[in-house]
Amino acid sequence: MTVVSSGSAEDLVRAKAVLLDPGVGKRRLGPEALRTALVDLHDFWLASRCAAIGLNEKASLVAVGALGRRELAPYSDLDLVLLHDGRQDVDRLVDQLWYPLWDAGIGLDHSVRTPGQAVQVAATDLRAAFGLLELRHIAGDPALSDKVSTAVRQAWRAGIRNRFDELADAAHARWTKVGDVAHRVEPDLKNGHGGLRDIQLIDALAAAQLVDRPAGDVLEARRLLLDVRTELHRISGRARDVLRAQEADEVATTLEIADRFELARALSGAARSVAFAAEVGLRQARGALPRRGLAALRRAPVRRPLDTGVVEHAGEVTLARDAAAARDPALVLRVAATAARTGLPVAAGTLHRLADTAPELREPWPRAALGELLSLLGTGRPLVDVVESLDRTGLWGRLFPEWGAVRDLPPRDRAHVWTVDRHLVEVTAQAARLTTRVARPDLLLVGSLLHDIGKGRGGDHSVVGESLAVQVGRRLGFSEPDVDVLGAMVRHHLLLPHTATRRDLDDPATVTRVVETLETAVPGAGSLLLELLEALAEADSLGTGPGVWSPWKRVLIGDLVRRCRALLAGEPLPAPSAPSAPELDLARAVVDDGRPQLRVDDTVDPATVLVAMADRVGSLAATAGVLALHSLEVHAAELYAVSAHSGGLPASVPDGVAMFAFTVSPRFGGLPDPALMRSDLVRTIDGSLVLADALARKERDYAPMAPSGEPAAPPRVLWFDDEATGAVVLELRATDRIGLLHRVAAALEDCSADLRWARVATLGASVVDSFCIDAGDAGVLPAQRRRIEQAVLAAAR
């Protein structure tokens, strides 16, 4: 390919376009070959341009950043520095170099420096220092480029002792702000913890002669991160560092990876290698910093005993001189527990020494090993980093071989923000705060660690996980009754949250089914299992993602647990309550006024909206639509009629009044004005407000934009015949959207389905809506089920 450098950079743009899209029938370059071609193309154009404008002695053009590292992605900016000795016509050179690139729309980050200025800016600006450490000569005077490169590197090595804290603090601040590449559903490949900037960090530490250059798995990780970023640029047509779901499948295809989930798993493993190397590199670099003055005369750091065979040395947990893993089977776990308890990192050399010398623990584990494991799991947040360090050196997988199937496994549910293995550790850390609420904290901690261990193997992960938990429990040395409880915890870890958020807790059949499940799972230990599952449900929600453990969910699960405890103790369940005084007052107002009435109770969290209106077809759909119009998220709806038989209404009202009690929370902001909601409800009933049009406008203006190329999961309907007395439960699983409950309620009412209650559980972008349909004497016949199901699915699409 020929690129002629004239006064314009349009030829450069055209040549780049051909590289990105060679045309029909021509071979498309792979990501590494594309980066090489882009670097060569830009190098050639810039060198030709420099020659054309007379850039030769006493001035040079150098590349830093991606071009300097030869890592140029399709839409990376060009980072260029014009070096000069102060005797050149710099303004002319700048105009003839920069303006053609700007005019062609090429992203450019530029500067003009003398050697002294280059060294000075590297001494005061970390980002500039990182770039200048990687500078690469493009054109002009190579001796000037070498001079600046040598001076910058010497100044970097000489000043690293005074700049190290700034460098480490900047890295930690970036990690906190951006998060982990390894565990994020949509990772930042460049800036995230374990991303490309961390490899540059290691390179900078190596340039200061504090650590070795990256090698082995870090270089492999760098290649994958660069390949993914290159394809992300090519596919999106712009500079992108965050890999979103809508591009991930196409990126995976171009890299010959099965799908975006396999790509996420590969990225997670690569990023964890980089993150571990960066963390260890910072610690090693701190210990290798040159000492000056009196500090150079100080004695070596003292080894402070921490536990049997474990000492602190230079701020890290390491082995005592006489410690031997072969003679001490609990040593690995004692080192880990000590690190978590003290907040000190485990020295990299200690981890590698243990990986080389620690034997497999015999089965069942010695009691001391189980004790150290429980000590580690009970430390809470510090557990996360310790498990990560054990896992990166193969020690965690040796303790738990079952971990391999969930390691780096991406979640399928959008509510999850972590990979499955990280989620298990996060949940265990949350469970550590709840150990005083249960009689068996050891079972809570181990059960939390294993509750999703069955994922990644096909089939129902709860069923698969139960057998794995039994296997692990026996290996750890738990008694058979305790092993049964562990297995039941994993098998039924979703029982309480699913039941509480999707079923009617006032129905005795709901509570009876839960209690029978617990007693059947572990005969005689139903109360213990209930207590453990309650704590696990909270920890699991907190370890899933923000907003999953809501006040509403906490109240529902607490109510279900209280009812189950009463039934286990042989106490009667509370009878369904009669209409309350406020409800009767609202019903009377409907009779007196003839129009719908509405009242908001914001003294409880979440709030309750009471609605009363004449009992008629379409009343539920109308009310649900008005709530959606006012940005209220409905969690539950109780439906019943109040008539003269309820007391307090005139006998001349034979059809009674429809009453709805909605549990709601605002999607954003505060609760809307009840008067405005009632006004819209009145307008909906009299036909002056067309809800379908109003909701369509709201969805168009306010609904989250669906990712391009990411189709919504198809809705699904399930039927349950034994979970409500005299009724069936229809469960709709669908993608959430504004007004969904309104549309589904309208479909059910059009099918003459007699609803008792509705429950709405929102899980990220998905919902599980449950509707209890009165079965009547004949039940809900198959033909009627098919008609209802088709109508509900059509409404949900």
Side-chain angles (χ1 to χ4, degrees):
M1 183 186 304
T2 302
V3 179
V4 179
S5 180
S6 62
S8 166
E10 294 300 331
D11 49 353
L12 173 62
V13 173
R14 288 191 294 272
K16 175 181 171 182
V18 172
L19 288 177
L20 295 178
D21 185 8
V24 179
K26 296 185 178 179
R27 186 175 65 87
R28 188 173 183 267
L29 293 176
E32 188 169 10
L34 176 60
R35 289 193 300 275
T36 299
L38 287 171
V39 169
D40 292 345
L41 171 66
H42 286 83
D43 280 2
F44 178 77
W45 188 93
L46 290 167
S48 301
R49 183 65 186 152
C50 287
I53 64 175
L55 183 72
N56 41 48
E57 294 184 358
K58 307 305 180 183
S60 67
L61 181 69
V62 299
V64 297
L67 183 59
R69 295 187 302 273
R70 302 189 65 87
E71 296 177 357
L72 196 67
Y75 295 95
S76 296
D77 286 349
L78 299 183
D79 292 323
L80 300 173
V81 182
L82 179 63
L83 299 173
H84 66 98
D85 66 353
R87 292 178 291 177
Q88 295 289 314
D89 182 2
V90 176
D91 290 340
R92 178 187 67 83
L93 294 175
V94 164
D95 288 347
Q96 294 181 335
L97 268 177
W98 301 162
Y99 276 97
L101 297 171
W102 285 331
D103 292 342
I106 296 173
L108 179 63
D109 190 352
H110 60 90
S111 60
V112 180
R113 312 282 186 204
T114 65
Q117 290 170 339
V119 174
Q120 180 61 32
V121 75
T124 56
D125 185 329
L126 272 181
R127 182 182 176 192
F130 276 33
L132 289 166
L133 286 171
E134 303 163 335
L135 75 79
R136 185 170 60 83
H137 178 75
I138 297 292
D141 185 355
L144 182 61
S145 300
D146 289 343
K147 176 182 178 181
V148 171
S149 177
T150 301
V152 167
R153 286 178 171 270
Q154 288 176 344
W156 177 252
R157 287 194 293 271
I160 190 62
R161 183 174 180 274
N162 297 326
R163 306 191 67 182
F164 183 81
D165 286 343
E166 178 192 4
L167 179 118
D169 290 346
H172 284 104
R174 172 169 53 82
W175 296 343
T176 300
K177 178 181 178 181
V178 182
D180 295 90
V181 174
H183 302 295
R184 293 293 180 182
V185 175
E186 295 186 335
D188 187 325
L189 305 171
K190 181 178 180 181
N191 301 296
H193 188 197
L196 291 166
R197 281 204 187 280
D198 282 347
I199 300 176
Q200 296 168 34
L201 170 64
I202 300 170
D203 283 336
L205 295 175
Q209 298 179 343
L210 299 176
V211 300
D212 294 332
R213 286 277 180 189
D217 56 353
V218 175
L219 291 182
E220 289 298 319
R222 170 184 172 273
R223 186 175 297 109
L224 177 62
L225 288 164
L226 284 172
D227 286 354
V228 173
R229 185 169 182 253
T230 300
E231 292 303 332
L232 178 59
H233 277 216
R234 177 154 49 182
I235 289 166
S236 62
R238 55 196 176 101
R240 290 283 298 276
D241 295 317
V242 176
L243 179 63
R244 304 195 186 281
Q246 57 265 32
E247 292 109 357
D249 271 321
E250 192 171 351
V251 170
T253 298
T254 61
L255 296 179
E256 298 182 349
I257 296 174
D259 56 27
R260 62 186 170 97
F261 297 105
E262 287 302 313
L263 173 61
R265 194 163 196 175
L267 273 176
S268 178
R272 290 170 78 172
S273 296
V274 173
F276 183 68
E279 292 169 6
V280 171
L282 282 174
R283 296 204 302 271
Q284 290 179 338
R286 186 180 294 278
L289 288 174
R291 300 175 185 272
R292 294 177 181 172
L294 293 176
L297 303 176
R298 290 175 186 164
R299 293 183 302 169
V302 176
R303 298 168 70 85
R304 180 169 65 94
L306 297 174
D307 205 330
T308 304
V310 185
V311 300
E312 175 196 353
H313 178 70
E316 294 181 321
V317 173
T318 186
L319 296 179
R321 291 188 176 91
D322 59 350
R327 299 194 308 267
D328 187 352
L331 184 59
V332 171
L333 287 161
R334 191 179 309 116
V335 167
T338 302
R341 189 173 60 251
T342 60
L344 299 172
V346 184
T350 295
L351 289 169
H352 293 302
R353 178 179 166 188
L354 289 171
D356 291 339
T357 63
E360 299 286 342
L361 286 171
R362 69 176 188 273
E363 298 184 21
W365 282 12
R367 184 172 296 276
L370 176 57
E372 296 294 355
L373 173 67
L374 295 174
S375 177
L376 169 64
L377 300 183
T379 57
R381 292 302 310 165
L383 163 74
V384 177
D385 289 337
V386 174
V387 170
E388 182 71 14
S389 63
L390 293 179
D391 201 27
R392 296 322 300 167
T393 47
L395 288 165
W396 192 251
R398 191 181 303 174
L399 296 169
F400 297 99
E402 299 82 1
W403 204 258
V406 297
R407 181 179 294 110
D408 301 319
L409 182 66
R412 301 277 172 157
D413 189 334
R414 294 181 185 176
H416 283 261
V417 299
W418 306 111
T419 53
V420 175
D421 56 335
R422 175 65 176 270
H423 168 70
L424 291 174
V425 180
E426 289 282 339
V427 171
T428 307
Q430 294 289 348
R433 301 185 306 104
L434 309 176
T435 51
T436 57
R437 287 172 27 182
V438 298
R440 291 295 304 273
D442 54 341
L443 296 179
L444 174 62
L445 292 171
V446 177
S448 298
L449 185 69
L450 301 176
H451 75 280
D452 276 346
I453 198 68
K455 288 187 174 180
R457 293 173 167 85
D460 186 331
H461 79 280
S462 297
V463 176
V464 175
E466 179 182 18
S467 62
L468 293 173
V470 167
Q471 173 181 300
V472 173
R474 287 176 179 151
R475 186 168 73 244
L476 299 185
F478 282 103
S479 66
E480 279 303 310
D482 288 349
V483 168
D484 291 341
V485 173
L486 275 176
M489 284 181 68
V490 174
R491 175 68 180 88
H492 300 294
H493 70 274
L494 296 175
L495 176 64
L496 297 184
H498 280 190
T499 302
T501 57
R502 303 179 185 182
R503 298 296 180 263
D504 180 21
L505 304 188
D506 285 326
D507 190 336
T510 299
V511 181
T512 300
R513 183 178 60 84
V514 172
V515 169
E516 288 178 348
T517 300
L518 298 177
E519 288 289 347
T520 302
V522 189
S527 295
L528 172 63
L529 183 56
L530 177 65
E531 181 181 73
L532 292 168
L533 289 177
E534 180 185 18
L536 177 54
E538 179 174 344
D540 192 10
S541 298
L542 291 169
T544 294
V548 177
W549 184 246
S550 63
W552 167 239
K553 191 172 184 179
R554 173 177 53 80
V555 168
L556 283 181
I557 291 179
D559 188 16
L560 174 60
V561 169
R562 282 191 295 275
R563 292 169 186 263
C564 289
R565 283 184 182 138
L567 190 58
L568 283 165
E571 300 171 4
L573 294 174
S577 57
S580 65
E583 291 169 341
L584 288 174
D585 290 343
L586 219 58
R588 294 189 193 101
V590 171
V591 175
D592 295 339
D593 186 55
R595 293 185 298 175
Q597 304 294 318
L598 183 147
R599 178 180 299 166
V600 175
D601 181 4
D602 59 359
T603 63
V604 293
D605 186 16
T608 299
V609 176
L610 284 176
V611 177
M613 65 175 66
D615 196 358
R616 49 169 284 181
V617 174
S619 54
L620 172 61
T623 309
V626 168
L627 297 181
L629 198 60
H630 287 266
S631 300
L632 288 177
E633 181 177 349
V634 176
H635 303 292
E638 301 292 340
L639 330 170
Y640 48 91
V642 179
S643 65
H645 301 293
S646 306
L649 294 186
S652 59
V653 189
D655 294 333
V657 174
M659 291 290 307
F660 307 113
F662 293 93
T663 302
V664 301
S665 59
R667 291 184 181 271
F668 44 81
L671 290 167
D673 185 348
L676 291 178
M677 286 195 290
R678 178 176 181 265
S679 173
D680 282 346
L681 184 56
V682 170
R683 292 171 57 214
T684 298
I685 297 301
D686 67 22
S688 60
L689 174 62
V690 181
L691 267 182
D693 295 343
L695 287 171
R697 287 194 298 271
K698 187 173 185 68
E699 187 169 32
R700 184 173 60 249
D701 295 339
Y702 295 103
M705 293 185 63
S708 153
E710 180 73 3
R716 183 184 179 197
V717 164
L718 302 175
W719 293 90
F720 299 89
D721 294 289
D722 57 351
E723 298 192 8
T725 304
V728 297
V729 174
L730 180 151
E731 190 173 278
L732 169 67
R733 302 177 182 179
T735 300
D736 194 17
R737 58 181 296 197
I738 291 175
L740 177 63
L741 180 59
H742 157 73
R743 294 177 178 87
V744 175
L748 290 168
E749 289 171 328
D750 287 346
C751 294
S752 302
D754 189 3
L755 293 180
R756 290 187 186 176
W757 51 259
R759 287 279 188 277
V760 179
T762 304
L763 306 168
S766 303
V767 295
V768 179
D769 291 358
S770 302
F771 302 89
C772 183
I773 302 173
D774 199 314
D777 295 334
V780 182
L781 300 176
Q784 185 184 10
R785 289 194 187 200
R786 285 194 297 272
R787 188 163 65 91
I788 290 174
E789 184 170 329
Q790 290 170 359
V792 167
L793 290 174
R797 291 192 180 99

